[in-house]
Amino acid sequence: MTISLEARTLPPILTTPLHVGAPNIGPWHEFSERSQEIFRRRWLTNRGPLVIELEQKLQAYLEVEHVVLCANGTIALELAAQAAGLSGEVIVPSFTFIASAHALHWQGIKPVFCDINPHTYNIDPDAIEALITPATRAILGVHLYGRPCEIERLNQIADRHGLSLLFDAAHAFGCRFQGKPIGGNGLCEVFSFHATKVFNTFEGGAVATNDAALAEKVRLLQNFGFQGEDNVIALGINGKMPEINAAMGLVNLEHLDSFITVNRGHYGVYAQQLKPLQGIRLIDYPDANANNYHYIIIDIDEVEFGASRDQLRDYLRQHNVLARRYFTPGCHRMAPYHDLGPWHLPQTEAVCERLLALPNGTQLSAAMVQCICDLIRQCPRQQLGAKQLFEVGR
Ligand SMILES: *Cc1c(COP(=O)(O)O)cnc(C)c1O
């Protein structure tokens, strides 16, 4: 047997690559039983019993009137935008996953990128009104890393200007705002149940809303616009969730609390281990708004830490920790949005250089988290950053 030199120098528990967003999955036997049900029934898709069961369970969990399961989060966003009758321009942060913008633009809507509050990384309510034009129809807030947007202020701005308010809640499943689950705010909130999210259905998504008419429209549009068997009354698409995905969701929902408990435990280890490190700040999840602790995000002050975010990322990658630069470089600097500018997003561009996402979830043991923190500590850096030199000089 040959072991590469590089592999031998690794700490033993990090001999396989650790990804950000490795899936949390429930027990195989539970999924297998659900799958056998599907085979026996031969009902594979088109709002089968498992989709209906999962929708009902999610309505209870999210405390909303309607949940419409969809094929993925991106099509759920598109269906929501279309069902809400959006056109023209929609104000959205640039500091988000590209799908927030793509879903709008794929609907012929121009995403108008708004800067973020550098403390919350969420859309900055103070920056919104300057972007409103006669073509603006809506605001799409994103609860980045599951931390709620400033929902009340967004509501006020939307009301004042007659705009719709929607939320991309792809990160926020299992999170709360002022004691209530994320899911019932604005006109609707849209979830992703992609494999990398805290709760997954392999691929999947949902529109959650208390607006019956909107839910009905989403259902119509996700099934080609069919009303009854033979009659089509709208330009629909195929955005349905298959039964096998709902089976995965039903299994994973049973275990969601344990996934979040594991995440939270790992978060605690990260917090404790990284605290003494100057120039590294782990973003916090205040207890007032329960979080799913799915995202371990560090904000790196290059001068204080003595290495840049990208240097740390490269070092971690060499040691099998595949940390990710979520969400660099910002939607506005990528195709096709770059050419729709000019954009003025100084906070977004500054934050883009500093944040790094680290692995979390049931793939990890506490010892592995410890090991990742050891690597961060061992990352080659300048002995003294400029600020420390300054302090020593004093
Ligand atoms: C994952 C994600 C999406 C897209 O969801 P898919 O299910 O992958 O289509 C949209 N917005 C944000 C913020 C996401 O993180």
Side-chain angles (χ1 to χ4, degrees):
M1 193 173 81
T2 55
I3 300 173
S4 80
L5 238 186
E6 202 190 347
R8 258 189 294 143
T9 59
L10 289 175
I13 55 177
L14 296 187
T15 47
T16 54
L18 295 180
H19 293 268
V20 172
N24 293 322
I25 44 182
W28 162 251
H29 71 91
E30 292 179 21
F31 178 69
S32 154
E33 278 164 28
R34 289 285 193 176
S35 310
Q36 281 171 29
E37 263 179 61
I38 297 172
F39 271 56
R40 272 198 301 273
R41 210 183 282 122
R42 289 179 183 262
W43 191 341
L44 305 186
T45 186
N46 287 13
R47 218 166 135 64
L50 298 188
V51 163
I52 290 171
E53 184 182 341
L54 184 57
E55 284 182 348
Q56 286 169 351
K57 288 188 168 160
L58 292 178
Q59 283 159 17
Y61 182 76
L62 298 173
E63 299 172 23
V64 289
E65 300 278 321
H66 308 278
V67 167
V68 184
L69 286 170
C70 301
N72 57 63
T74 305
I75 201 104
L77 279 169
E78 288 187 52
L79 289 163
Q82 173 105 187
L86 303 187
S87 59
E89 299 177 357
V90 171
I91 295 170
V92 62
S94 168
F95 195 60
T96 177
F97 183 59
I98 194 71
S100 311
H102 274 1
L104 295 171
H105 209 43
W106 198 263
Q107 288 298 314
I109 296 163
K110 180 182 178 189
V112 172
F113 294 116
C114 185
D115 215 351
I116 52 168
N117 174 328
H119 303 292
T120 66
Y121 312 124
N122 277 328
I123 191 166
D124 181 1
D126 289 328
I128 291 177
E129 284 182 303
L131 302 174
I132 295 175
T133 74
T136 309
R137 292 289 171 274
I139 301 166
L140 176 64
V142 182
H143 307 301
L144 209 74
Y145 313 131
R147 302 198 304 181
C149 296
E150 292 177 56
I151 293 172
E152 284 150 339
R153 291 196 58 202
L154 296 182
N155 259 320
Q156 287 161 8
I157 294 168
D159 281 353
R160 200 177 318 139
H161 297 273
L163 306 177
S164 301
L165 176 61
L166 296 82
F167 291 100
D168 178 339
H171 295 185
F173 191 79
C175 300
R176 287 173 174 263
F177 175 67
Q178 295 178 344
K180 293 251 317 160
I182 293 288
N185 300 295
L187 177 61
C188 64
E189 303 210 59
V190 178
F191 293 95
S192 165
F193 304 141
H194 182 255
T196 51
K197 307 301 204 268
V198 68
F199 165 74
N200 88 84
T201 60
F202 297 102
E203 293 263 6
V207 179
T209 181
N210 290 311
D211 185 316
L214 185 89
E216 196 185 329
K217 192 86 196 276
V218 171
R219 276 198 206 295
L220 179 78
L221 294 175
Q222 80 169 171
N223 189 32
F224 311 100
F226 269 108
Q227 185 187 58
E229 270 184 27
D230 305 313
N231 194 26
V232 169
I233 61 165
L235 173 62
I237 186 105
N238 182 355
K240 302 183 279 6
M241 176 179 278
E243 286 288 274
I244 194 74
N245 299 78
M248 186 68 157
L250 286 163
V251 171
N252 287 337
L253 193 59
E254 290 292 314
H255 299 276
L256 179 66
D257 288 347
S258 74
F259 299 157
I260 293 177
T261 302
V262 169
N263 278 348
R264 189 178 185 153
H266 292 341
Y267 178 90
V269 178
Y270 274 116
Q272 185 205 16
Q273 293 293 311
L274 297 178
K275 195 165 185 185
L277 277 181
Q278 278 220 25
I280 300 262
R281 191 176 58 78
L282 178 65
I283 73 163
D284 63 337
Y285 295 119
D287 283 340
N289 297 324
N291 196 276
N292 56 33
Y293 292 89
H294 188 59
Y295 298 92
I296 303 290
I297 307 294
I298 54 174
D299 191 327
I300 299 145
D301 181 321
E302 168 172 356
V303 174
E304 275 194 29
F305 182 58
S308 69
R309 186 271 311 271
D310 288 351
Q311 287 168 332
L312 176 59
R313 170 211 181 226
D314 293 345
Y315 180 76
L316 290 174
R317 286 189 89 84
Q318 284 161 19
H319 293 83
N320 264 347
V321 178
L322 307 183
R324 299 292 301 271
R325 299 182 295 182
Y326 292 149
F327 288 94
T328 304
C331 297
H332 70 290
R333 293 197 276 198
M334 295 192 278
Y337 311 110
H338 182 261
D339 297 336
L340 303 182
W343 306 105
H344 181 64
L345 302 164
Q347 303 296 351
T348 300
E349 293 185 0
V351 163
C352 273
E353 302 297 320
R354 300 203 317 253
L355 299 194
L356 193 63
L358 301 173
N360 201 13
T362 50
Q363 63 168 336
L364 300 177
S365 63
M368 290 156 96
V369 176
Q370 176 88 49
C371 195
I372 295 169
C373 295
D374 289 344
L375 284 169
I376 295 172
R377 203 174 298 115
Q378 289 159 16
C379 175
R381 47 199 156 115
Q382 288 171 301
Q383 283 309 73
L384 292 172
K387 177 154 180 265
Q388 289 153 291
L389 273 174
F390 171 69
E391 277 162 6
V392 170
R394 264 195 317 199

